[in-house]
Amino acid sequence: MTNAINQHMLSRRRLMTGTAAALATGAVVSPSMLMAQSSSPLPIATTVSADEKFPPGEPGKDYTPVHTPNGVTAPFKVVDGVKVFHLIASEFEHEFAPGLTAICWGYDGRTPGPTLEAVEGDHLRIYVTNRLPAPTTVHWHGILLPAGMDGVTGLSQAPIQPGETFMYEFKLNQYGTYMYHSHFDEMTQQGLGMMGMFIIHPRKPVGPKIDRDFAIMLSEWAIEPGTRRPNTLEMTDFNVLTMNSRAFPGTAPLVVQKNQRVRIRFGNLGAMHHHPIHLHGFTFRITETDGGPVPESAQWPGNTVLVTVGATRAVEFVADAPGDWAMHCHMTHHAMNQMGHDVPNMIGVDAGGLDSQVRSVLPGYMTMGQHGMGGMGDMGMAVPHNSLPMVGMEGPFGYIDMGGMFTIVKVRDAEVGFDDPGWYENPPGTVAVAATAEALRRDGINVDRKIDGPRPSERAGTPDASTAAPTHAASHSDGNPATTPATAPTSAPAAVAYACPMHPEVTDDEASRCPKCGMKLVPQE
């Protein structure tokens, strides 16, 4: 592949001079005007010479169109050999996931804005109309173009005032994965969603054909439960982490047919955080950075790719394993939603009879988080208006305890489109299940074997409330000495009764749901 990629050496001066001269005279830039004498050569990802002329690239003919989950591709028209796009910056209501919407800013009524797609050698003219209450500009992130087209307010152009329409015009003499975003009051405008992907396909593709090409913009938001506008002043504590401005369970799956060659392009225009994106079930190669394709000899194999702020990365793999495979940011707080942040640490706390005592003055009180956050989204607990449970949705085997920057790659044997095909039906014998007594006996597994090391109550200076009274944790003991508190009763436990945290009069002898409010019944002390 390395030899097949024609890494032409193109100078920035050569690229810009012609366009700058044309702009100075107010003339429309033609591709031929971008030619000038070369000096100070730079490596730029190209497959053809900047001197060559080509007709505008066509989707399906000159390239396989990119699919943007939960998003769209920008339409264009051709006028005298120039591809013409029109973006409208505006305010709108955006849904992050069912239950959470906010007033955001973006392009063409969405965030991220529509994906711009073009071909190396295309000549573009992009109109930007400002319907915002504030000035704006657009920066074409990573695109090599004349300085006056770079979109930095005050430095490379005047701001686009509300009601104005500006025109950007340049030729594409490179290919790869890039982005676009506001460059006026970036903290506010990017924080409200003014961003999008910008894909440039090679004029002469090399290497294996890509069957499915996806684009995902990573970003982060601070939206307090019950509010309707992201707080763009937040610097560190972001509580809604998104892929294409959607948080799980609002993220659309990436649907693929078995053995298709898949490319996933990531961009990160979040405010502060890098994102290690981990794909289950496959090993991919990191094939592209924001500097263009990575030579085959330098491509890293892996299953996690770090997408840093302001950068793009592309990975490729062959989807040879059918199934439903998770893909998510491996920053664990980035795979949670609003309610999973900024709560007291209750892990290991024995509430004892606290709940029943507090309920006498605060009906419905329930101590939460003693064993972590697992299952919280499945409790049916009421959340503030316009907010999300901290995790998940119902999956084929129970509740999926993930949120935020999480989605699913769905690989199927049959031919598929881009719509969600539903859950994967695993072949018999390929799903993990509870071990049977026969299997344990066959393989010599002793579930009661002793584990070395001090138990919590034996650590010096570490109080353990479980010594004072039978504990809530003890009532959940799985029989394994490793997980059962040292002072847990050794006699057979009494039958556990379950009650609704909101309606204590509703009880059952099993963990059913409350007929009044739908919450899951919890064990009683």
Side-chain angles (χ1 to χ4, degrees):
M1 182 174 177
T2 304
N3 294 333
I5 297 175
N6 184 6
Q7 296 283 354
H8 290 275
M9 304 299 281
L10 182 68
S11 79
R12 179 179 294 273
R13 177 178 299 178
R14 184 182 187 187
L15 176 72
M16 309 307 172
T17 306
T19 301
L23 292 173
T25 61
V28 173
V29 180
S30 68
S32 62
M33 298 178 77
L34 297 174
M35 304 174 195
Q37 292 302 311
S38 174
S39 65
S40 183
L42 297 171
I44 299 174
T46 67
T47 61
V48 295
S49 168
D51 299 340
E52 297 180 71
K53 296 181 180 179
F54 300 94
E58 299 180 34
K61 175 184 175 183
D62 296 302
Y63 61 90
T64 299
V66 165
H67 179 71
T68 306
N70 297 114
V72 300
T73 298
F76 67 86
K77 57 185 176 182
V78 176
V79 179
D80 297 330
V82 177
K83 276 187 176 177
V84 179
F85 295 85
H86 183 201
L87 298 174
I88 298 176
S90 67
E91 181 176 270
F92 49 87
E93 183 138 357
H94 172 72
E95 183 188 74
F96 289 88
L100 176 62
T101 63
I103 298 173
C104 295
W105 291 6
Y107 303 97
D108 287 11
R110 62 174 56 249
T111 175
T115 298
L116 295 174
E117 236 178 328
V119 177
E120 176 191 8
D122 279 350
H123 186 149
L124 304 189
R125 191 175 300 142
I126 306 174
Y127 292 91
V128 178
T129 296
N130 183 8
R131 294 182 185 171
L132 297 169
T136 192
T137 60
V138 179
H139 168 57
W140 316 101
H141 190 109
I143 309 294
L144 302 178
L145 36 62
M149 294 291 171
D150 200 40
V152 180
T153 303
L155 175 64
S156 48
Q157 69 166 89
I160 309 173
Q161 297 295 338
E164 289 187 332
T165 297
F166 270 43
M167 183 181 78
Y168 297 86
E169 184 160 346
F170 45 88
K171 184 188 176 189
L172 300 175
N173 287 313
Q174 65 193 115
Y175 72 92
T177 303
Y178 306 99
M179 303 180 285
Y180 66 94
H181 59 82
S182 166
H183 220 299
F184 177 91
D185 187 10
E186 281 188 274
M187 180 188 74
T188 299
Q189 298 200 359
Q190 286 187 56
L192 288 172
M194 298 192 68
M195 61 190 82
M197 299 293 287
F198 195 143
I199 311 299
I200 308 175
H201 297 276
R203 177 63 62 173
K204 296 181 178 179
V206 296
K209 181 179 181 296
I210 299 298
D211 301 299
R212 288 281 159 115
D213 199 341
F214 298 97
I216 295 178
M217 175 68 79
L218 309 173
S219 51
E220 55 199 7
W221 314 71
I223 307 174
E224 290 301 314
T227 66
R228 298 186 67 237
R229 283 187 187 271
N231 177 12
T232 61
L233 300 176
E234 178 59 57
M235 290 181 64
T236 56
D237 192 13
F238 298 93
N239 59 3
V240 179
L241 286 296
T242 60
M243 292 178 161
N244 287 335
S245 299
R246 299 276 290 186
F248 188 77
T251 51
L254 281 62
V255 184
V256 176
Q257 186 177 350
K258 182 183 176 183
N259 291 328
Q260 284 188 321
R261 191 174 190 86
V262 181
R263 175 190 290 136
I264 306 177
R265 308 171 188 258
F266 299 100
N268 181 0
L269 285 179
M272 301 297 288
H273 291 123
H274 310 316
H275 299 294
I277 302 297
H278 174 56
L279 173 64
H280 293 216
F282 301 96
T283 295
F284 53 61
R285 285 181 175 272
I286 301 171
T287 56
E288 197 176 295
T289 70
D290 33 359
V294 178
E296 186 172 12
S297 60
Q299 292 176 5
W300 284 13
N303 47 53
T304 301
V305 57
L306 180 63
V307 189
T308 56
V309 173
T312 67
R313 295 290 184 272
V315 302
E316 294 180 18
F317 62 98
V318 175
D320 56 358
D324 290 339
W325 302 101
M327 186 173 76
H328 58 94
C329 178
H330 226 286
M331 297 278 194
T332 54
H333 280 245
H334 294 181
M336 301 281 281
N337 286 323
Q338 288 170 312
M339 300 301 289
H341 300 258
D342 197 24
V343 295
N345 179 12
M346 299 294 289
I347 295 176
V349 171
D350 174 23
L354 175 65
D355 286 12
S356 58
Q357 296 178 40
V358 174
R359 282 189 202 117
S360 64
V361 293
L362 185 63
Y365 173 83
M366 178 177 64
T367 303
M368 298 172 58
Q370 302 99 310
H371 310 295
M373 299 299 181
M376 290 296 180
D378 189 32
M379 296 181 70
M381 183 173 58
V383 297
H385 173 67
N386 197 42
S387 63
L388 297 174
M390 59 184 72
V391 289
M393 63 178 288
E394 196 68 33
F397 299 102
Y399 206 76
I400 301 174
D401 272 330
M402 300 294 284
M405 205 171 273
F406 177 92
T407 190
I408 303 170
V409 176
K410 296 193 172 186
V411 182
R412 298 291 183 269
D413 289 304
E415 185 174 348
V416 290
F418 288 102
D419 294 335
D420 189 345
W423 299 116
Y424 180 66
E425 295 185 9
N426 297 274
T430 65
V431 175
V433 294
T436 64
E438 179 184 359
L440 296 174
R441 187 167 51 250
R442 178 194 64 206
D443 295 326
I445 302 299
N446 177 15
V447 297
D448 296 322
R449 72 182 174 88
K450 183 178 180 181
I451 296 177
D452 294 335
R455 296 174 181 175
S457 60
E458 296 170 343
R459 293 173 186 158
T462 304
D464 184 358
S466 65
T467 59
T471 66
H472 188 66
S475 70
H476 284 286
S477 170
D478 58 5
N480 187 338
T483 57
T484 302
T487 56
T490 54
S491 58
V496 175
Y498 296 82
C500 174
M502 296 292 290
H503 304 94
E505 71 278 13
V506 177
T507 61
D508 199 347
D509 57 1
E510 59 184 22
S512 57
R513 288 186 180 277
C514 175
K516 294 184 177 179
C517 65
M519 289 186 68
K520 183 179 287 185
L521 306 191
V522 298
Q524 297 302 288
E525 299 85 1

